[in-house]
Amino acid sequence: MPETLTLPDDFRRVCEETLTRVMERTQGAYGAVLATIDGHAVLSVTHRDLPSDRIAAMTSSLLALGETIAREAQQRQCKFVIVENSDGYVVTLRITAKLTLSTFSGNEANLGMLLSASRNAAESIGKAIPQRTHPK
Amino acid sequence: MSEIKLIFTGPPGAGKTTAIGAISEIPPVSTDVDATDELLSSKDHTTAAMDFGEVTLDDGTKLRLYGTPGQRRFAHMWQILVQGGLGLIILLDNSRPAPLDDLEIYLDNFADFIERTGVVIAVTRADHPDGPPIEDFQDYLEQRGLVYPVLTADIRRETDVLMLLNVLLSNLEFA
């Protein structure tokens, strides 16, 4: 984890509680990874053995491509990317300019529920970010 | 009209985005994101997925130029971007702490691709007082039993970047 984003204890606790809540309240959810926009894993809560470091880097690439595609399509600010697979979903959202959240579920999950739970979690984490860890 | 895909790689800050931007005929596509780590000491942004640009040669051949992210954590993009590629340009920044170690990383990680295609190694900021002389790069390759072109370049200059492409294409032609 980059030194610039070492989490204060209070904020870390909020993040852990928020990610745990997503997992508990979303049927089929099995992982949530908080990462920096440039691909460093910050914190993860998972029910499976997920390579959170690799996932953090990959979701960074994904969001960066989303942002680039938006620009090429004369749109702006990619908010989230959904990867729908034969046996599950990956939702990656931008929380702030520097933080992202990715959630993972099996296909028994309702995509709408997973997306809304992920968005609510991102909003909660975004509001709880101490100013000194998030220089805009 | 034929098309050739070439890939620029190298450590963060070596100038991959700059090189493609210096020669591309279309507005270069970039996927820069805010840097949050030690890279902040030298630049605010970093490439998270790829750069892209295009150049058309005199004979009508279109070169599609892809730049990789530099950091090893983005190696998943390295594997994706080399697919269908015909050659590699490794940019090395001679002001970094260990440019020869950087070279080793990219030679090793792109070894299969280089074996199938071709490579040119370009040293930027070549006259940096703390960097090794160009001969050290050639010696290093020789020690590994490799024979690849090593050149110095100012990748902000269109002529220098085009020169790298010409050397790479010439090498591919005679491979």
Side-chain angles (χ1 to χ4, degrees), chain A residues 18-120:
Chain A
T18 304
L19 299 190
T20 301
R21 202 159 49 239
V22 172
M23 306 275 281
E24 288 173 350
R25 295 184 180 176
T26 312
Q27 184 187 9
Y30 61 85
V33 176
L34 191 64
T36 64
I37 193 70
D38 60 343
H40 294 284
V42 174
L43 191 153
S44 62
V45 176
T46 66
H47 291 165
R48 295 188 190 174
D49 186 19
L50 295 177
S52 54
D53 287 337
R54 283 169 54 81
I55 284 171
M58 290 175 178
T59 54
S60 166
S61 301
L62 196 61
L63 269 182
L65 280 172
E67 190 77 38
T68 301
I69 292 166
R71 276 200 304 273
E72 293 294 311
Q74 299 177 5
Q75 300 177 17
R76 59 195 169 88
Q77 207 171 27
C78 174
K79 293 179 179 173
F80 59 85
V81 176
I82 296 171
V83 181
E84 182 174 353
N85 306 304
S86 61
D87 51 356
Y89 304 101
V90 179
V91 173
T92 297
L93 309 91
R94 180 188 289 264
I95 300 176
T96 66
K98 296 202 188 317
L99 271 184
T100 69
L101 171 66
S102 296
T103 54
F104 306 82
S105 77
N107 59 5
E108 67 271 34
N110 176 307
L111 178 57
M113 294 301 292
L114 178 66
L115 182 57
S116 64
S118 303
R119 291 178 76 165
N120 291 338

Side-chain angles (χ1 to χ4, degrees), chain B residues 97-114:
Chain B
L100 289 168
D101 291 349
D102 289 339
L103 176 57
E104 181 178 22
I105 288 171
Y106 296 94
L107 285 177
D108 289 348
N109 280 278
F110 288 89
D112 291 345
F113 179 67
I114 293 170

Side-chain angles (χ1 to χ4, degrees), chain A residues 2-5 36-40 53-54 57-58 60-61 64-65 68 71-72 97-98, chain B residues 27-38 40 46 48-50 69 73-74 76-77:
Chain A
E3 194 179 337
T4 49
L5 277 169
T36 64
I37 193 70
D38 60 343
H40 294 284
D53 287 337
R54 283 169 54 81
M58 290 175 178
S60 166
S61 301
L65 280 172
T68 301
R71 276 200 304 273
E72 293 294 311
K98 296 202 188 317
Chain B
V29 175
S30 67
T31 58
D32 278 5
V33 298
D34 289 353
T36 68
D37 52 19
E38 66 281 355
L40 272 172
T46 191
M50 55 176 255
R73 66 180 179 278
F74 291 117
H76 57 275
M77 290 305 307

